Amino acid sequence: MYRITVLVSGGGTNLQAIMDAIADGRITDTEIACVISNNRDAYALTRAYDAGIPACVVSRADHPHRDEYDAALTRAVVDTGADLVVLAGFLVKIPPAMIREFKNRIINIHPSLIPSFCGVGFYGLKVHEAALARGVRLTGATVHVVDEDTDTGPILLQKAVEIQPGDTPEVLQRRVMEQAEWKLLPQAIDMLAHGRIEISDEGQVTFL
Ligand code: GAR
């Protein structure tokens, strides 16, 4: 079994999409080893508990020094024995030690077509607010490998979504989730689980 550990901070609809895809066979030979949240109030944790998936909280509040927090988070993830770490709405910067430990084995879902509307400060609704403010006609979602900077790692999958007249950030966020995120993230996990995506040390992505 390929083991994935999913890191979450909020509602967990992407976690739900992964759980649903495992249940209905769009992701095979894969189990969620653990769900880890930085936020003990995250609804994503309730989704994990309800599904009987091990879950834990590594909260910044319990670790006053950033180094201590980074070490605790890295240790918690290593202890899950994950083959792949999936950031599903995880809003904490990943410690360099974890990136070294899981080189090319951490992926993130971002709610825009990278390199648009990404980087520090672009997360959640802010991404959709920025896309609407700029007046783009197309946005979408990206699954990428996590490297030491924010949203700069190798791109694995992308899907475009049209912006409609009258869209609010909330309406657009929902459409991007439904049409892109909840499909792309399970697809990427299944492909990685079955060795259908290869990422070289230099970050070159090959589909096999
Ligand atoms: C998702 O839209 C995800 O793409 C985004 O946060 C949301 C989490 O929703 N992630 C980022 O913005 C990362 N930069 P969820 O908790 O319902 O999956």
Side-chain angles (χ1 to χ4, degrees), residues 7-17 42-44 47 87-91 108-112 117-119 121-128 140-142 144 150-151 173 176-177 181-182 185:
L7 274 52
V8 295
S9 296
T13 64
N14 279 285
L15 168 66
Q16 188 68 54
Y43 184 67
R47 296 180 193 268
L87 310 186
F90 188 62
L91 303 181
N108 179 46
I109 179 88
H110 182 77
S112 75
F117 312 116
C118 64
F122 285 97
Y123 58 89
L125 268 186
K126 289 178 191 291
V127 178
H128 305 293
T142 302
H144 66 92
T150 304
D151 301 330
Q173 178 181 53
V176 169
M177 285 175 158
E181 295 188 47
W182 300 340
L185 191 54

Side-chain angles (χ1 to χ4, degrees), residues 176-198:
V176 169
M177 285 175 158
E178 282 176 358
Q179 294 186 7
E181 295 188 47
W182 300 340
K183 294 178 179 167
L184 278 192
L185 191 54
Q187 186 188 345
I189 292 167
D190 189 63
M191 292 179 81
L192 288 162
H194 294 96
R196 297 211 308 273
I197 304 179
E198 203 174 75

